Amino acid sequence: MLNQRNAFPAAAVFILALLLIIPGVLDAEEPLRSSYSPVVVNEPFTDVVERMKSAKPEVMKRQMELLNERYDLSDRPAAGAMMSGGKKAVQEGVRVKLPEDVTWEALAGMKPEQIKEKGLWPAGFLPLPHPNHPEGGMVFPQFHIDEINKQEKRDLTRFDLDFDLPDHLLPEYPPPIYLTTRSDLGDVSQGKVVTIMNYYELFNGILNPKQLEGLRLLVTPFPQQQFNQTEDRRSELASRGVTCFDCHVNGHSNGSTHLVGDIRPQELRHRLDTPPLRGVNVQRLFGSQRALKTVEDFTEFEQRAAYFDGDPVIGTKKGLNILERGSQVHFMAEFQALLDFPPAPKLNLYGKLDPEKATESELRGEKVFFEKGQCSVCHPAPYYTDNSMHNLKAERFFKPVMVNGRLASADGPIKTFPLRGIKESPPYLHDGRLLTLEDTVEFFNLIQGLKLTEQEKKDLVAFMRAL
């Protein structure tokens, strides 16, 4: 037995050993890494608001400097190329900026290892960080914030940050709604943003009772990580929350962003480009990487976890919305399954171009798509998805680098999104790093080593605009 004189040194040695083996105990600057968000907030809410409001100008300055270094953000509409609602032109041109004294042709002639070693991978082809990646969370374009405030008096403004991409690089607003069951009606939204305030008058007599109830739930606000009633939120006033259609407005997209909930640590979480819900009836995988097998799964699990950054513990505190599978989830999914792709008058019954309606450039582009470009390996007609996942292994071209809190490294396998109606949903790729279809062609030309000519690239863009 230790005598009293030896007990203290022994205890001290034991405590010191614990300090040495527990990461972060000795270094107060490096917090413990955890899969969970903190449940208890020890800082008064008024102090949080003041601190984050003060930091906001610098946060947004840093993000906008990054975007301007990477991209040409100018408004350059393509002549004669409009989105299906007729209110917004498609943007044209390669927007990703190249390293100094480098051309696309020169890059295409190099091997991935050479591009990586010389550091020539265009910065705009690296993963795109969230407007404030360490903080994350849902962020909405100002035009949507204004419309929801006008209709519902529900404020989606965040006191800590703003949306970052310019409006002209986002989908048209409001987007049309096309129904698989009532193609004779055209745009059933009547040019309006569908909300809890108008869904009934717009769809009563068009949908059956189950579908109408499903739509009601899709436009009903529920608590979410940044928009809720607790002191741990990013809206100044206590919030009723967000709706499914705040991101997937009118069953399409408004460009809203978020971080995926299925990856830790924070610097590896992907920024999300909100995909359209159009055509979910022909899709068999949901979520960019989660590979959920039905739209019912996606609908239910978004509410249970993704709304709260994938953390059901914090979700319980903020107001977890448990949907009943047999009625609520089913009804929501049944409405979503009615959302159709936009009209494509130049396509035939097989999803290919009708030679009598297509231009020469579009026809040449179709040939590139199905042959030299190998696009159809992952994007076969008629819906231009293989309902699978693929790993592009873009990390072959660059060394891992931290960019505004996002560690640019391997993305892993990503769902193949449909290309039907692709001109309607910029920006592109799972995290929105590609602003135009021209950017997308240049990206895949390098990723696949295709060595497309300038004319082939233009023709390929022309074809995709016809889808």
Side-chain angles (χ1 to χ4, degrees):
M1 180 180 291
L2 288 172
N3 60 36
Q4 190 174 7
R5 186 174 60 181
N6 293 330
F8 177 75
V13 170
F14 177 71
I15 292 171
L16 179 60
L18 280 178
L19 291 174
L20 290 174
I21 64 174
I22 299 176
V25 172
L26 291 179
D27 184 3
E29 296 300 316
E30 184 177 337
L32 290 173
R33 178 160 284 177
S34 174
S35 294
Y36 295 91
S37 305
V39 178
V40 178
V41 178
N42 294 318
E43 187 178 7
F45 181 66
T46 52
D47 291 356
V48 174
V49 174
E50 183 178 353
R51 173 172 57 81
M52 288 192 159
K53 272 190 170 182
S54 298
K56 177 178 174 179
E58 185 58 33
V59 167
M60 296 313 301
K61 178 174 179 289
R62 180 184 66 177
Q63 183 71 358
M64 295 315 298
E65 285 177 350
L66 175 71
L67 293 180
N68 280 292
E69 287 170 4
R70 285 187 172 198
Y71 308 113
D72 170 7
L73 298 174
S74 62
D75 188 359
R76 289 161 50 196
M82 301 294 291
M83 297 185 189
S84 62
K87 298 184 292 291
K88 192 166 191 175
V90 175
Q91 291 286 313
E92 71 174 0
V94 176
R95 302 309 184 90
V96 171
K97 294 179 179 178
L98 285 167
E100 191 173 355
D101 299 326
V102 175
T103 65
W104 292 111
E105 292 73 21
L107 282 181
M110 299 171 68
K111 294 181 178 179
E113 297 78 13
Q114 294 175 299
I115 294 174
K116 181 177 183 178
E117 184 60 33
K118 296 180 179 181
L120 296 179
W121 188 242
F125 285 171
L126 293 172
L128 180 63
H130 185 278
N132 186 5
H133 207 88
E135 176 68 20
M138 287 188 180
V139 195
F140 304 95
Q142 190 61 46
F143 55 75
H144 185 72
I145 294 173
D146 293 342
E147 179 64 23
I148 297 305
N149 227 334
K150 176 183 174 183
Q151 285 202 38
E152 300 184 34
K153 301 296 186 286
R154 178 168 55 92
D155 194 353
L156 293 170
T157 303
R158 286 182 59 162
F159 57 73
D160 60 329
L161 57 90
D162 295 322
F163 190 76
D164 53 353
L165 294 176
D167 293 353
H168 57 267
L169 293 169
L170 303 178
E172 72 179 321
Y173 188 86
I177 299 179
Y178 307 103
L179 298 180
T180 57
T181 49
R182 293 301 306 273
S183 58
D184 57 305
L185 296 177
D187 174 17
V188 294
S189 75
Q190 300 180 28
K192 300 176 182 179
V193 174
V194 179
T195 69
I196 195 70
M197 307 303 293
N198 62 18
Y199 83 96
Y200 187 83
E201 65 183 71
L202 288 172
F203 288 88
N204 183 33
I206 296 176
L207 303 177
N208 72 24
K210 284 196 300 181
Q211 296 155 359
L212 197 60
E213 173 63 4
L215 176 56
R216 182 189 70 79
L217 290 166
L218 289 165
V219 294
T220 297
F222 294 110
Q224 185 267 342
Q225 179 80 342
Q226 285 75 37
F227 298 91
N228 57 76
Q229 290 83 33
T230 74
E231 74 283 352
D232 183 14
R233 63 178 189 267
R234 296 297 177 257
S235 59
E236 286 203 62
L237 297 178
S239 173
R240 284 173 284 157
V242 304
T243 76
C244 299
F245 273 26
D246 279 330
C247 293
H248 301 281
V249 63
N250 286 14
H252 184 48
S253 172
N254 56 12
S256 298
T257 194
H258 192 9
L259 289 181
V260 296
D262 47 311
I263 301 173
R264 296 294 185 276
Q266 186 80 354
E267 61 263 27
L268 291 178
R269 294 174 67 188
H270 301 167
R271 174 175 175 149
L272 275 176
D273 172 40
T274 301
L277 296 180
R278 294 168 171 176
V280 297
N281 60 317
V282 302
Q283 297 180 50
R284 297 295 173 263
L285 289 180
F286 299 90
S288 57
Q289 286 191 307
R290 285 179 292 166
L292 300 172
K293 297 302 185 288
T294 67
V295 71
E296 285 87 354
D297 290 341
F298 183 80
T299 301
E300 179 177 6
F301 301 146
E302 285 289 287
Q303 292 279 343
R304 286 178 179 260
Y307 263 39
F308 303 99
D309 286 349
D311 189 341
V313 176
I314 203 75
T316 300
K317 170 189 174 183
K318 296 186 175 188
L320 205 60
N321 177 40
I322 306 298
L323 296 168
E324 200 280 309
R325 181 87 177 196
S327 56
Q328 292 177 312
V329 173
H330 170 64
F331 295 175
M332 295 167 78
E334 187 162 314
F335 175 79
Q336 291 173 84
L338 300 182
L339 296 166
D340 204 0
F341 295 112
K346 294 185 179 182
L347 299 186
N348 62 24
L349 295 175
Y350 309 105
K352 301 288 189 69
L353 287 175
D354 182 339
E356 295 185 0
K357 298 178 180 178
T359 67
E360 289 299 319
S361 178
E362 291 165 347
L363 290 168
R364 291 195 303 267
E366 181 179 55
K367 183 177 176 63
V368 173
F369 188 95
F370 286 95
E371 296 179 10
K372 182 178 179 180
Q374 301 187 67
C375 313
S376 61
V377 172
C378 301
H379 298 277
Y383 303 114
Y384 295 87
T385 177
D386 64 355
N387 275 306
S388 186
M389 302 179 76
H390 298 278
N391 189 346
L392 299 177
K393 299 183 179 180
E395 67 273 13
R396 294 172 290 151
F397 294 87
F398 63 91
K399 298 174 183 178
V401 59
M402 188 71 79
V403 184
N404 287 7
R406 167 72 161 100
L407 180 61
S409 59
D411 285 317
I414 302 290
K415 166 187 171 178
T416 305
F417 293 92
L419 296 188
R420 268 286 283 113
I422 190 63
K423 74 177 188 296
E424 311 263 318
S425 55
Y428 304 108
L429 221 60
H430 60 280
D431 60 1
R433 75 183 73 169
L434 307 176
L435 303 185
T436 66
L437 289 174
E438 285 86 349
D439 285 325
T440 307
V441 168
E442 293 290 0
F443 178 81
F444 281 94
N445 187 46
L446 295 180
I447 288 288
Q448 296 175 262
L450 300 174
K451 293 184 171 57
L452 298 177
T453 68
E454 286 304 304
Q455 188 59 55
E456 287 170 333
K457 294 174 187 177
K458 291 178 182 178
D459 293 339
L460 191 52
V461 169
F463 170 67
M464 287 193 289
R465 287 179 184 168
L467 294 177

